[in-house]
Amino acid sequence: MACRISELVLGCREPEVLARFWCEVLDFVVLGREDDGSMEIGPREGFGGAQPTLFLSRRDAPEPGKSRLHIDVNATDRDQDAELERLLKLGARPADIGQTGDEHWHVLMDPEGNEFCLLRTRLAPL
């Protein structure tokens, strides 16, 4: 038996803001809230399904050093250009990490500056 990724944990100052953003990006819902303001969001079917959940762990200050984890997303119902436009309207911002311009993905930041990538569509849009 092997392990599987059950949740990704992202430290953040404003879990509510990131929950709204990532719920819109991934079509997730809020699954739970902690007393300290931390939140777990995930697929509508809940925890334990095929997709991992995202746990937004409240932190008063960013942790020192560059994050060693980022999220990659793929559009499921539109092409990459249309999804890029949608993500920018939701509050994502372009991030420059030294790309050459020849990449087949876009590097973006969520509203708190966490980097993530929009990959080229791997499946035909639904």
Side-chain angles (χ1 to χ4, degrees):
M1 177 167 234
C3 291
R4 71 174 185 82
I5 296 172
S6 60
E7 66 187 29
L8 300 171
V9 179
L10 182 61
C12 60
R13 290 180 298 277
E14 297 185 64
E16 285 282 346
V17 171
L18 287 190
R20 281 192 302 274
F21 176 80
W22 284 111
C23 281
E24 285 293 324
V25 170
L26 301 170
D27 192 29
F28 274 12
V29 295
V30 174
L31 299 175
R33 297 172 190 272
E34 301 291 323
D35 291 339
D36 70 351
S38 297
M39 301 174 69
E40 185 169 20
I41 63 173
R44 294 177 186 282
E45 59 270 11
F47 183 82
Q51 290 183 293
T53 62
L54 186 58
F55 188 83
L56 303 167
S57 179
R58 187 176 178 314
R59 303 274 191 269
D60 289 329
E63 296 175 22
K66 182 172 171 38
S67 174
R68 299 178 81 187
L69 173 71
H70 73 266
I71 298 170
D72 288 344
V73 298
N74 290 98
T76 58
D77 62 351
R78 62 196 61 146
D79 67 24
Q80 185 185 41
D81 291 336
E83 184 65 358
L84 176 62
E85 184 177 328
R86 184 179 86 89
L87 296 177
L88 293 171
K89 285 180 182 175
L90 289 173
R93 299 176 317 242
D96 182 358
I97 60 167
Q99 303 93 302
T100 65
D102 293 328
E103 293 81 9
H104 297 287
W105 61 86
H106 296 278
V107 182
L108 302 167
M109 291 184 290
D110 71 15
E112 282 203 7
N114 300 298
E115 293 170 0
F116 69 100
C117 294
L118 171 61
L119 304 179
R120 180 173 40 190
T121 304
R122 295 181 178 178
L123 301 173
L126 302 174

Short mmCIF file of all heavy atoms in Angstrom, two decimals, residues 9-40:
data_model
loop_
_atom_site.label_atom_id
_atom_site.label_comp_id
_atom_site.label_asym_id
_atom_site.label_seq_id
_atom_site.Cartn_x
_atom_site.Cartn_y
_atom_site.Cartn_z
N VAL A 9 -0.96 22.08 2.98
CA VAL A 9 -1.07 23.09 4.03
C VAL A 9 -0.35 24.35 3.56
O VAL A 9 0.79 24.29 3.12
CB VAL A 9 -0.46 22.59 5.35
CG1 VAL A 9 -0.55 23.67 6.42
CG2 VAL A 9 -1.15 21.31 5.79
N LEU A 10 -1.04 25.47 3.65
CA LEU A 10 -0.50 26.74 3.22
C LEU A 10 -0.64 27.74 4.36
O LEU A 10 -1.76 28.04 4.79
CB LEU A 10 -1.27 27.23 1.99
CG LEU A 10 -0.84 28.53 1.34
CD1 LEU A 10 0.60 28.42 0.84
CD2 LEU A 10 -1.77 28.86 0.18
N GLY A 11 0.49 28.23 4.88
CA GLY A 11 0.45 29.25 5.91
C GLY A 11 0.03 30.59 5.31
O GLY A 11 0.49 30.95 4.23
N CYS A 12 -0.87 31.29 5.99
CA CYS A 12 -1.36 32.56 5.44
C CYS A 12 -1.85 33.47 6.55
O CYS A 12 -2.19 33.02 7.63
CB CYS A 12 -2.46 32.31 4.41
SG CYS A 12 -3.90 31.46 5.07
N ARG A 13 -1.89 34.76 6.26
CA ARG A 13 -2.38 35.75 7.22
C ARG A 13 -3.91 35.83 7.24
O ARG A 13 -4.50 36.08 8.28
CB ARG A 13 -1.80 37.13 6.90
CG ARG A 13 -0.31 37.24 7.19
CD ARG A 13 0.25 38.61 6.86
NE ARG A 13 0.13 38.95 5.44
CZ ARG A 13 0.99 38.57 4.49
NH1 ARG A 13 2.02 37.82 4.80
NH2 ARG A 13 0.83 38.93 3.24
N GLU A 14 -4.54 35.67 6.08
CA GLU A 14 -5.99 35.83 5.98
C GLU A 14 -6.62 34.62 5.31
O GLU A 14 -6.91 34.64 4.11
CB GLU A 14 -6.32 37.10 5.21
CG GLU A 14 -5.84 38.37 5.89
CD GLU A 14 -6.29 39.61 5.15
OE1 GLU A 14 -7.50 39.83 5.09
OE2 GLU A 14 -5.41 40.31 4.62
N PRO A 15 -6.89 33.56 6.08
CA PRO A 15 -7.47 32.36 5.50
C PRO A 15 -8.78 32.61 4.76
O PRO A 15 -9.03 31.98 3.73
CB PRO A 15 -7.68 31.44 6.71
CG PRO A 15 -6.65 31.89 7.70
CD PRO A 15 -6.55 33.38 7.50
N GLU A 16 -9.62 33.52 5.26
CA GLU A 16 -10.91 33.80 4.59
C GLU A 16 -10.68 34.29 3.16
O GLU A 16 -11.37 33.88 2.23
CB GLU A 16 -11.71 34.85 5.37
CG GLU A 16 -12.35 34.34 6.62
CD GLU A 16 -13.62 33.55 6.39
OE1 GLU A 16 -14.19 33.59 5.27
OE2 GLU A 16 -14.04 32.87 7.34
N VAL A 17 -9.72 35.21 2.99
CA VAL A 17 -9.43 35.77 1.66
C VAL A 17 -8.94 34.67 0.73
O VAL A 17 -9.42 34.54 -0.40
CB VAL A 17 -8.39 36.91 1.76
CG1 VAL A 17 -7.93 37.35 0.38
CG2 VAL A 17 -8.98 38.09 2.53
N LEU A 18 -7.99 33.87 1.21
CA LEU A 18 -7.46 32.80 0.37
C LEU A 18 -8.49 31.71 0.12
O LEU A 18 -8.53 31.12 -0.96
CB LEU A 18 -6.19 32.22 0.96
CG LEU A 18 -4.97 33.11 0.87
CD1 LEU A 18 -3.72 32.35 1.27
CD2 LEU A 18 -4.78 33.68 -0.53
N ALA A 19 -9.35 31.44 1.10
CA ALA A 19 -10.40 30.44 0.90
C ALA A 19 -11.33 30.87 -0.24
O ALA A 19 -11.66 30.06 -1.11
CB ALA A 19 -11.19 30.22 2.19
N ARG A 20 -11.74 32.13 -0.24
CA ARG A 20 -12.61 32.61 -1.33
C ARG A 20 -11.91 32.46 -2.67
O ARG A 20 -12.50 31.99 -3.64
CB ARG A 20 -13.00 34.07 -1.10
CG ARG A 20 -14.12 34.26 -0.10
CD ARG A 20 -14.68 35.68 -0.11
NE ARG A 20 -13.69 36.70 0.16
CZ ARG A 20 -13.35 37.12 1.38
NH1 ARG A 20 -13.90 36.57 2.44
NH2 ARG A 20 -12.44 38.06 1.52
N PHE A 21 -10.63 32.87 -2.73
CA PHE A 21 -9.86 32.80 -3.97
C PHE A 21 -9.74 31.36 -4.45
O PHE A 21 -10.12 31.02 -5.57
CB PHE A 21 -8.47 33.42 -3.77
CG PHE A 21 -7.58 33.32 -4.97
CD1 PHE A 21 -7.71 34.20 -6.02
CD2 PHE A 21 -6.60 32.34 -5.04
CE1 PHE A 21 -6.89 34.11 -7.14
CE2 PHE A 21 -5.77 32.24 -6.15
CZ PHE A 21 -5.92 33.12 -7.20
N TRP A 22 -9.21 30.46 -3.59
CA TRP A 22 -8.96 29.09 -4.02
C TRP A 22 -10.26 28.31 -4.24
O TRP A 22 -10.31 27.42 -5.09
CB TRP A 22 -8.02 28.39 -3.05
CG TRP A 22 -6.62 28.85 -3.23
CD1 TRP A 22 -5.86 29.60 -2.38
CD2 TRP A 22 -5.78 28.61 -4.37
NE1 TRP A 22 -4.62 29.85 -2.92
CE2 TRP A 22 -4.55 29.25 -4.14
CE3 TRP A 22 -5.97 27.92 -5.58
CZ2 TRP A 22 -3.50 29.20 -5.06
CZ3 TRP A 22 -4.92 27.88 -6.49
CH2 TRP A 22 -3.70 28.52 -6.23
N CYS A 23 -11.32 28.62 -3.51
CA CYS A 23 -12.61 27.97 -3.78
C CYS A 23 -13.10 28.31 -5.18
O CYS A 23 -13.60 27.44 -5.91
CB CYS A 23 -13.65 28.35 -2.74
SG CYS A 23 -13.49 27.46 -1.16
N GLU A 24 -12.93 29.56 -5.60
CA GLU A 24 -13.32 29.95 -6.95
C GLU A 24 -12.42 29.31 -8.00
O GLU A 24 -12.88 28.82 -9.02
CB GLU A 24 -13.28 31.47 -7.10
CG GLU A 24 -14.44 32.18 -6.45
CD GLU A 24 -15.77 31.88 -7.14
OE1 GLU A 24 -15.82 31.74 -8.36
OE2 GLU A 24 -16.77 31.79 -6.41
N VAL A 25 -11.10 29.31 -7.75
CA VAL A 25 -10.15 28.74 -8.70
C VAL A 25 -10.42 27.25 -8.91
O VAL A 25 -10.45 26.76 -10.04
CB VAL A 25 -8.69 28.96 -8.22
CG1 VAL A 25 -7.70 28.16 -9.06
CG2 VAL A 25 -8.33 30.44 -8.27
N LEU A 26 -10.62 26.51 -7.81
CA LEU A 26 -10.70 25.05 -7.87
C LEU A 26 -12.12 24.48 -7.80
O LEU A 26 -12.29 23.27 -7.83
CB LEU A 26 -9.87 24.46 -6.72
CG LEU A 26 -8.39 24.83 -6.72
CD1 LEU A 26 -7.75 24.38 -5.41
CD2 LEU A 26 -7.68 24.23 -7.92
N ASP A 27 -13.13 25.35 -7.69
CA ASP A 27 -14.51 24.92 -7.47
C ASP A 27 -14.60 24.08 -6.19
O ASP A 27 -15.23 23.03 -6.16
CB ASP A 27 -15.08 24.17 -8.67
CG ASP A 27 -16.59 23.97 -8.56
OD1 ASP A 27 -17.26 24.82 -7.92
OD2 ASP A 27 -17.10 22.95 -9.07
N PHE A 28 -13.94 24.55 -5.13
CA PHE A 28 -13.95 23.90 -3.83
C PHE A 28 -14.98 24.59 -2.94
O PHE A 28 -15.50 25.66 -3.27
CB PHE A 28 -12.58 24.02 -3.16
CG PHE A 28 -11.58 22.95 -3.54
CD1 PHE A 28 -11.79 22.08 -4.60
CD2 PHE A 28 -10.41 22.83 -2.83
CE1 PHE A 28 -10.86 21.11 -4.94
CE2 PHE A 28 -9.47 21.87 -3.14
CZ PHE A 28 -9.69 21.00 -4.19
N VAL A 29 -15.24 23.99 -1.79
CA VAL A 29 -16.11 24.55 -0.76
C VAL A 29 -15.35 24.52 0.56
O VAL A 29 -14.39 23.78 0.72
CB VAL A 29 -17.44 23.77 -0.64
CG1 VAL A 29 -18.25 23.89 -1.92
CG2 VAL A 29 -17.19 22.32 -0.28
N VAL A 30 -15.82 25.32 1.52
CA VAL A 30 -15.24 25.30 2.86
C VAL A 30 -15.72 24.02 3.55
O VAL A 30 -16.91 23.76 3.63
CB VAL A 30 -15.66 26.55 3.66
CG1 VAL A 30 -15.17 26.46 5.10
CG2 VAL A 30 -15.12 27.81 2.99
N LEU A 31 -14.76 23.24 4.04
CA LEU A 31 -15.07 21.98 4.72
C LEU A 31 -15.01 22.12 6.24
O LEU A 31 -15.63 21.34 6.95
CB LEU A 31 -14.10 20.88 4.27
CG LEU A 31 -14.12 20.54 2.79
CD1 LEU A 31 -13.03 19.53 2.47
CD2 LEU A 31 -15.48 20.00 2.37
N GLY A 32 -14.23 23.09 6.72
CA GLY A 32 -14.12 23.25 8.16
C GLY A 32 -13.38 24.51 8.54
O GLY A 32 -12.64 25.08 7.74
N ARG A 33 -13.63 24.95 9.77
CA ARG A 33 -12.98 26.15 10.32
C ARG A 33 -12.45 25.81 11.71
O ARG A 33 -13.11 25.12 12.47
CB ARG A 33 -13.97 27.29 10.44
CG ARG A 33 -14.53 27.76 9.13
CD ARG A 33 -15.67 28.78 9.36
NE ARG A 33 -16.38 29.06 8.13
CZ ARG A 33 -16.03 29.99 7.26
NH1 ARG A 33 -14.99 30.76 7.51
NH2 ARG A 33 -16.72 30.18 6.16
N GLU A 34 -11.27 26.34 12.02
CA GLU A 34 -10.66 26.15 13.33
C GLU A 34 -10.87 27.41 14.17
O GLU A 34 -11.12 28.49 13.63
CB GLU A 34 -9.16 25.89 13.18
CG GLU A 34 -8.82 24.67 12.35
CD GLU A 34 -9.20 23.36 13.01
OE1 GLU A 34 -9.07 23.27 14.25
OE2 GLU A 34 -9.65 22.45 12.29
N ASP A 35 -10.74 27.29 15.47
CA ASP A 35 -10.91 28.43 16.37
C ASP A 35 -9.93 29.56 16.09
O ASP A 35 -10.24 30.73 16.32
CB ASP A 35 -10.76 27.99 17.84
CG ASP A 35 -11.92 27.11 18.29
OD1 ASP A 35 -13.00 27.17 17.67
OD2 ASP A 35 -11.74 26.37 19.28
N ASP A 36 -8.73 29.24 15.57
CA ASP A 36 -7.73 30.28 15.31
C ASP A 36 -7.92 30.97 13.96
O ASP A 36 -7.13 31.82 13.57
CB ASP A 36 -6.31 29.70 15.40
CG ASP A 36 -5.97 28.74 14.27
OD1 ASP A 36 -6.87 28.38 13.47
OD2 ASP A 36 -4.79 28.36 14.18
N GLY A 37 -8.97 30.61 13.22
CA GLY A 37 -9.22 31.21 11.91
C GLY A 37 -8.73 30.37 10.75
O GLY A 37 -9.04 30.67 9.60
N SER A 38 -7.99 29.31 11.02
CA SER A 38 -7.55 28.42 9.95
C SER A 38 -8.77 27.76 9.31
O SER A 38 -9.81 27.60 9.96
CB SER A 38 -6.61 27.34 10.49
OG SER A 38 -5.43 27.90 11.01
N MET A 39 -8.65 27.39 8.05
CA MET A 39 -9.77 26.81 7.32
C MET A 39 -9.30 25.67 6.44
O MET A 39 -8.17 25.69 5.95
CB MET A 39 -10.43 27.86 6.42
CG MET A 39 -10.95 29.07 7.16
SD MET A 39 -11.55 30.36 6.05
CE MET A 39 -13.00 29.55 5.40
N GLU A 40 -10.19 24.71 6.22
CA GLU A 40 -9.92 23.66 5.26
C GLU A 40 -10.96 23.75 4.15
O GLU A 40 -12.16 23.86 4.42
CB GLU A 40 -9.99 22.28 5.91
CG GLU A 40 -9.59 21.17 4.96
CD GLU A 40 -9.38 19.83 5.64
OE1 GLU A 40 -9.89 19.64 6.76
OE2 GLU A 40 -8.70 18.98 5.05
#
